Amino acid sequence: MPVIKYPRIRDPLFYEWDRKAQKCGLRHTVYAVNGDQYTGEWLDNLKHGKGTQIWKSTGAIYSGDWKFGKRDGYGSYSVPDPVTKEYRKVYTGWWENNRRGGRGAFFYPNGERYEGEWSNGLRSGWGKMCYKDGSIFEGEWLMDQPNGQGVLQLPNGNRYEGGWKDGKKHGPGKYFYSDKGQLLEGVWVADIPKCGALVDFGRDDAPAATEFPLPEIGLHNPAGVLGEARAMFDDSHN
């Protein structure tokens, strides 16, 4: 009986070509149509793992963790200086879903610096901001603005401790005039003190103390008055 040989069934060639074209594992530099380049790990044709991306249009570089095509994990982002062409670090820290998320440090072009928590690319949580004029704010942030409790330290030694809202002093707080040796304790609304008590505080060691000390407050219970003011403030904002 004759032996019949059937042709071996093979997948079409384009299946094999497509399989070879899929990027998975460690790869050398891959260039995009727009000139961007990526060197690193892949998974299912997506950047995944450790890798470095260079954007041709801006020259910016990201080096760090990737997850399914997005920056996710720990990484550093730098841009070239327009004059010197040397790279300047912009952000180093944690990323979530292609945005700054978690703890990280951001370096501004004017020399200012923020170190703290981020959410959806914005300063949110606890953080410390060092401003160009020498001021330092440390406290709570929300949607890129001081919100909650925080301390602002000024270059001349004065400082404010208390509540903040939308980047402004808001709520019960204390303002220490270290240069004059005085303390203002009261309630602020949109950066303006609405009520409070001003007393001498460390006046003997103040570099620019007033000529005469402040007279004592003519109230039997100034702390109680401030407490009532705080209570009225809280009631009006509930």
Side-chain angles (χ1 to χ4, degrees):
M1 184 175 180
V3 177
I4 301 176
K5 293 184 178 181
Y6 294 96
R8 185 177 175 180
I9 300 176
R10 298 183 60 183
D11 291 334
L13 285 177
F14 65 82
Y15 282 165
E16 184 177 352
W17 295 338
D18 182 67
R19 185 168 55 252
K20 290 182 178 180
Q22 295 296 313
K23 294 180 280 293
C24 188
L26 183 62
R27 287 262 178 156
H28 294 296
T29 302
V30 176
Y31 293 87
V33 176
N34 61 2
D36 295 348
Q37 52 182 290
Y38 172 81
T39 305
E41 297 175 302
W42 298 78
L43 179 64
D44 295 335
N45 222 31
L46 295 172
K47 305 179 187 78
H48 191 89
K50 301 289 185 181
T52 299
Q53 168 94 12
I54 302 177
W55 287 268
K56 183 180 179 181
S57 60
T58 62
I61 294 179
Y62 170 80
S63 182
D65 296 326
W66 296 79
K67 187 175 181 180
F68 301 118
K70 296 181 178 181
R71 292 168 289 184
D72 200 296
Y74 190 86
S76 180
Y77 180 81
S78 303
V79 298
D81 186 275
V83 179
T84 64
K85 305 303 180 183
E86 295 181 357
Y87 275 90
R88 177 182 62 82
K89 187 177 292 184
V90 175
Y91 176 78
T92 180
W94 292 92
W95 301 72
E96 294 177 355
N97 197 28
N98 221 31
R99 294 182 176 182
R100 294 183 291 274
R103 291 197 61 84
F106 191 94
F107 305 90
Y108 295 84
N110 61 358
E112 296 181 345
R113 182 178 77 257
Y114 172 82
E115 300 177 15
E117 297 175 310
W118 298 79
S119 179
N120 291 323
L122 301 176
R123 293 168 291 185
S124 291
W126 189 270
K128 179 180 179 180
M129 183 74 188
C130 299
Y131 296 95
K132 187 177 181 180
D133 64 357
S135 301
I136 299 176
F137 173 83
E138 186 169 5
E140 296 175 300
W141 294 73
L142 180 65
M143 299 295 290
D144 230 28
Q145 295 284 356
N147 271 276
Q149 295 295 309
V151 178
L152 176 65
Q153 183 80 39
L154 300 177
N156 62 1
N158 294 350
R159 74 181 187 274
Y160 169 81
E161 301 177 1
W164 295 79
K165 182 179 179 182
D166 299 331
K168 297 181 179 180
K169 305 176 193 69
H170 197 84
K174 299 178 181 180
Y175 198 106
F176 296 85
Y177 295 91
S178 300
D179 55 342
K180 297 181 179 179
Q182 295 177 339
L183 164 64
L184 173 61
E185 184 176 1
V187 176
W188 274 255
V189 175
D191 250 358
I192 300 174
K194 293 296 184 179
C195 67
L198 182 66
V199 297
D200 285 330
F201 184 85
R203 182 175 176 277
D204 294 338
D205 299 325
T210 56
E211 184 177 358
F212 300 104
L214 289 171
E216 293 186 7
I217 301 174
L219 295 173
H220 295 292
N221 187 9
V225 174
L226 287 175
E228 292 178 4
R230 291 194 186 95
M232 292 175 62
F233 175 87
D234 294 338
D235 292 341
S236 64
H237 288 76
N238 287 333

